[in-house]
Amino acid sequence: MTLNRALAWPVIRHTLLLLGAVVMLLPFIWMISTASKPQTEIFTTDVHLIPHTFALWDNLKTAFGKADLVRFLINGVIVTAAIFVLQVMVALPAAYALAKLRFVGRDVLFALVLFCILIPPQATAIPVFLLLHHLGILDTYAALVVPFTISAFGIFLMRQFFKTVPDDLIDAARMDGISEFGIVWRVMLPTAIPALTAFGIFSVVAHWNDYFWPLIVLTSEHLRTPPLGVAAFRNEEAGTNYGPLMAAAIVIIAPLVVAFLLAQRRFIEGITLTGIK
């Protein structure tokens, strides 16, 4: 009886995981199916995933012809890369100070960091927008990058990882005459690659998919990010052409999927290590 239960539990567990995976992947499966259908098959009462006429290539050509997807992808890479680099430049020294340096008010500052994580970006959108307006940098790359250069979540994540780094390693670096900033970039940075990879996935996905903020601060079409590019296919008067819309969505999502598949081992390792004391 005990043996049967031991054999049944892995089957139940994997069945539940498989069902959960199907639920999570169903929107992507439907997206690929819709992108592969002609318009006549999309608006039918006959629901089928496999198209009768494969039209993915035609929908892709229509998508690239209707919107400058290449430009939108380049904008997405520029914005997300700039945000991530600046966030790392701020988060690493701040996390090191909160994790390894002893000074008055350290715990209070860390509590403020945790509090900042709870504040949604929509709550500060209006004052930040007014600040950028007074600075005269609306409708520029700077308007997309500057508000996100400090990541409270990044500081928290890196601080948790730095807590796992032995103090002996830092003391040895100090004995070699390395400054505190030198320790951050020459000692802590190489050890923090798994945590940086995990944070990079979170940061890139969040800002690559951000629709709210670029919609507010941009008016020029050549500065549009990928989510705004997809919105260009909406047409409330003539009806949305869902085939090219889903094809464009595939093009925009593909870099994120590839990046995650390449970095998933480091991502899991980083998330695991940040929880170890």
Side-chain angles (χ1 to χ4, degrees):
M1 188 68 177
T2 304
L3 180 60
N4 292 334
R5 289 181 178 178
L7 294 176
W9 172 242
V11 175
I12 296 174
R13 181 178 60 190
H14 284 83
T15 302
L16 293 175
L17 290 175
L18 182 61
L19 291 175
V22 170
V23 172
M24 296 295 293
L25 292 175
L26 187 58
F28 297 96
I29 296 173
W30 189 259
M31 176 184 67
I32 296 173
S33 174
T34 304
S36 303
K37 296 177 182 178
Q39 193 79 346
T40 55
E41 289 189 36
I42 295 175
F43 295 101
T44 60
T45 57
D46 180 21
V47 179
H48 55 279
L49 290 177
I50 300 176
H52 301 311
T53 302
F54 190 76
L56 177 60
W57 181 246
D58 294 332
N59 287 330
L60 284 173
K61 289 194 296 184
T62 303
F64 278 95
K66 186 173 182 180
D68 192 358
L69 291 181
V70 176
R71 180 64 186 180
F72 298 154
L73 291 172
I74 293 174
N75 290 339
V77 171
I78 292 173
V79 171
T80 54
I83 290 175
F84 178 63
V85 170
L86 292 174
Q87 285 178 339
V88 170
M89 293 179 65
V90 174
L92 282 182
Y96 171 74
L98 292 173
K100 295 300 182 182
L101 300 182
R102 293 181 176 85
F103 55 90
V104 177
R106 185 183 69 171
D107 294 338
V108 175
L109 288 177
F110 181 62
L112 290 176
V113 170
L114 295 179
F115 176 74
C116 289
I117 296 177
L118 302 176
I119 302 175
Q122 292 80 7
T124 59
I126 294 178
V128 173
F129 178 87
L130 294 176
L131 175 62
L132 297 179
H133 172 70
H134 288 299
L135 293 176
I137 59 175
L138 288 176
D139 198 30
T140 63
Y141 284 124
L144 297 172
V145 174
V146 171
F148 305 103
T149 53
I150 299 177
S151 172
F153 174 74
I155 295 174
F156 166 75
L157 191 69
M158 300 310 302
R159 185 259 186 188
Q160 295 302 103
F161 181 85
F162 286 161
K163 294 287 286 186
T164 67
V165 177
D167 292 336
D168 294 340
L169 181 63
I170 298 173
D171 294 336
R174 288 170 178 161
M175 292 179 64
D176 289 338
I178 303 178
S179 64
E180 297 298 330
F181 273 103
I183 292 174
V184 172
W185 302 113
R186 295 170 58 184
V187 178
M188 305 301 284
L189 176 59
T191 64
I193 296 300
L196 277 178
T197 303
F199 172 59
I201 293 294
F202 284 118
S203 176
V204 169
V205 170
H207 297 293
W208 183 275
N209 292 328
D210 188 11
Y211 180 79
F212 172 75
W213 187 248
L215 182 65
I216 293 176
V217 299
L218 293 182
T219 56
S220 300
E221 184 175 348
H222 70 278
L223 292 175
R224 286 183 177 180
T225 53
L228 290 183
V230 173
F233 292 90
R234 295 181 57 190
N235 192 328
E236 297 180 358
E237 296 179 358
T240 301
N241 194 352
Y242 287 100
L245 173 64
M246 292 296 106
I250 291 176
V251 173
I252 289 172
I253 291 175
L256 296 181
V257 175
V258 173
F260 178 77
L261 292 177
L262 293 175
Q264 61 177 330
R265 186 176 66 86
R266 289 286 189 178
F267 174 79
I268 296 172
E269 182 182 352
I271 292 296
T272 303
L273 291 177
T274 52
I276 298 176
K277 298 296 181 183

